[in-house]
Every structure is written in structure tokens, then in C-alpha cells.
């Protein structure tokens, strides 16, 4: 099975789908990560962030990493047609069976625009093999927006990642430029706490939670 994880920024995919990616890889599925935005490619920090992402993906067993290198924080300044075409080209080339995307209610505009462009490309007419689209939560993005009915993340599917939580935390450690000290949500303690909470919801030790956007049975 071919799984695609779309991440607006480096480390979003680890926060939201890190343990699930490791679980898929462990049982032999092909997992591809698409990193959407990047800063100035001549900036040493941007190159460091890419190396951190690649290191974390290697640890999780990700099959391939794609860097789209669209402008960080400036997606809204790109013509919608150009963004949609960039997503469509990549998604058609991959032809995934399962896709994970950010939550449309995240506070960062890059997340919201990523979701909109991804959903245009993920229309059923384009991808007859596509079986499911799931939205993931991103600490410091999903929980920080205005809590209106259309912004709230309401998980309705859970993945028991008790065996994979350790490697998720190790993968996050690879993002040395992004990780923070507790009580910041992008800290190892907060990541583990969320996984514990999501796990307790379905009576397992650790879980990652998602919203079903579309699923074909």
C-alpha cells in the first residue's frame, strides 16, 4: 500500500503522523512525505531543517521525501492555479491509496492553504485508487486557533501506537532547531502527553488521532 503524508512545514508530519508512519513502514507499506514549504534555500538554517527532516524520515522508515520548496508563510501570495497545479502533479505521480493532510482549522495560513490545494488534487475523479483521506493534528497549530465549530479538531479514528511512540519521540529529537522545552507544545513531554490522552480515549497506552475526511470501504 502507498501512503502519502503532506506536511506544510518540516516536523508537522512527525507531530501528527510520526508513529503511524513508523507503524506502516514496519509492516512493509511504502510511505512518502511531501514537505510543502521552505524558506530561502540559501539560508544555512533552511538546509539544516531539511537535513533534520530527512534524518527523522530515515529513522521512521519513510520511503521517499519530496521537498516542494514553495514559499513559507507566503503561499497566500502565490496564484491559486500555480499551487493547485504543483500539488496535482505530485499527487498524480504518486497515486497514493491513503493520504494524511493537516487539519483545515489550524491557525497557520500555510496549513489551511495546503489543505485546500491538497483537496483539489485529491478529488475522486483524479485518483480512483484512493481509499482514504485523514486529517491530523499539529501541536501549537491545531489547538491554538479560535474554537469555532469549523475550526475544532474532532477525532473520529485512532491508531494504537503504543509500540511506536518511542521512535516518534526519537524522530522529533532529530528536529533540533524546532524542538522546545516543556511546557511548549512542541516539546517531547507535550507530544507524549497528547499521545497518552488520545490513547486513553480508546483504552490503549498511546495513540495518534485523526479525522476521517473521506473513506471508501
Amino acid at each position: 500500500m502507498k501512503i502519502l503524508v503532506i506536511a506544510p512545514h518540516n516536523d508537522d508530519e512527525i507531530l501528527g503522523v510520526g508513529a503511524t508512519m513508523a507503524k506502516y513502514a514496519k509492516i512493509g507499506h511504502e510511505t512518502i512525505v511531501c514537505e510543502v514549504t521552505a524558506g530561502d534555500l540559501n539560508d544555512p538554517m533552511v538546509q539544516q531543517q531539511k537535513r533534520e527532516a530527512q534524518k527523522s524520515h530515515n529513522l521512521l522508515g519513510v520511503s521517499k521525501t519530496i521537498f516542494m520548496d514553495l514559499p513559507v508563510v507566503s503561499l497566500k501570495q502565490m496564484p491559486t492555479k500555480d499551487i493547485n497545479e504543483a500539488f496535482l502533479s505530485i499527487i498524480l505521480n504518486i497515486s497514493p491509496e491513503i493520504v494524511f493532510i493537516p487539519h483545515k482549522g489550524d491557525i497557520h495560513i500555510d496549513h489551511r492553504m495546503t489543505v485546500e490545494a491538497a483537496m483539489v488534487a485529491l478529488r475522486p475523479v483524479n485518483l480512483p485508487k484512493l481509499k482514504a483521506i485523514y486529517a491530523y493534528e499539529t501541536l501549537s497549530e491545531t489547538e491554538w486557533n479560535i474554537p469555532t465549530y469549523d475550526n475544532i479538531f474532532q477525532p473520529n479514528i485512532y491508531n494504537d501506537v503504543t509500540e511506536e511512540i518511542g521512535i516518534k519521540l526519537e524522530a522529533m529529537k532529530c528536529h533540533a532547531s524546532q524542538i522546545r522545552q516543556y511546557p511548549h507544545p512542541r516539546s517531547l513531554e507535550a507530544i507524549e502527553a497528547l499521545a497518552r490522552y488520545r490513547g486513553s480515549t480508546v483504552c490503549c497506552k498511546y495513540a495518534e488521532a485523526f479525522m476521517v475526511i473521506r473513506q471508501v470501504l
Side-chain angles (χ1 to χ4, degrees):
M1 189 162 56
K2 193 177 289 187
I3 296 96
L4 173 63
V5 178
I6 300 175
H9 311 107
N10 295 333
D11 84 350
D12 289 337
E13 74 284 4
I14 306 300
L15 292 166
V17 202
T20 295
M21 290 192 291
K23 189 171 183 177
Y24 275 128
K26 187 165 58 177
I27 57 179
H29 294 306
E30 182 180 358
T31 304
I32 300 162
V33 175
C34 179
E35 305 273 7
V36 177
T37 68
D40 182 355
L41 298 179
N42 294 316
D43 185 341
M45 178 58 73
V46 172
Q47 295 305 317
Q48 178 184 340
Q49 290 168 352
K50 286 192 173 189
R51 289 191 296 271
E52 290 172 349
Q54 192 66 70
K55 183 178 179 181
S56 70
H57 295 169
N58 291 342
L59 186 63
L60 295 173
V62 170
S63 308
K64 183 179 181 181
T65 303
I66 298 169
F67 293 104
M68 293 181 71
D69 292 333
L70 299 184
V72 68
V73 190
S74 299
L75 279 180
K76 62 182 178 181
Q77 297 173 9
M78 286 185 64
T80 301
K81 179 176 179 290
D82 292 347
I83 300 175
N84 290 350
E85 286 180 351
F87 274 83
L88 182 62
S89 175
I90 287 173
I91 288 171
L92 288 180
N93 183 59
I94 295 171
S95 189
E97 294 162 82
I98 295 177
V99 178
F100 291 87
I101 62 175
H103 174 52
K104 75 179 186 69
D106 287 358
I107 194 169
H108 200 304
I109 192 168
D110 284 354
H111 286 232
R112 302 196 299 274
M113 295 196 69
T114 292
V115 170
E116 290 175 5
M119 289 303 297
V120 170
L122 293 169
R123 287 177 292 191
V125 68
N126 293 330
L127 296 164
K129 293 182 180 179
L130 184 63
K131 299 301 181 186
I133 305 170
Y134 303 117
Y136 61 86
E137 56 187 331
T138 307
L139 282 164
S140 81
E141 301 289 356
T142 306
E143 78 276 25
W144 279 0
N145 207 349
I146 300 169
T148 56
Y149 77 95
D150 56 339
N151 283 340
I152 292 292
F153 181 79
Q154 296 180 312
N156 53 12
I157 188 167
Y158 298 79
N159 191 9
D160 182 345
V161 294
T162 301
E163 294 184 5
E164 293 79 25
I165 186 63
I167 196 168
K168 172 173 179 162
L169 295 174
E170 289 300 314
M172 190 62 196
K173 288 179 184 178
C174 295
H175 291 271
S177 66
Q178 304 300 315
I179 201 164
R180 300 291 184 264
Q181 294 297 313
Y182 187 79
H184 194 287
R186 293 196 179 213
S187 62
L188 297 178
E189 294 89 342
I191 294 167
E192 183 178 3
L194 178 61
R196 278 185 179 272
Y197 172 66
R198 294 306 187 195
S200 72
T201 306
V202 290
C203 294
C204 63
K205 193 170 181 180
Y206 293 100
E208 287 179 334
F210 308 100
M211 288 180 64
V212 177
I213 303 302
R214 185 190 308 145
Q215 185 167 286
V216 180
L217 298 177

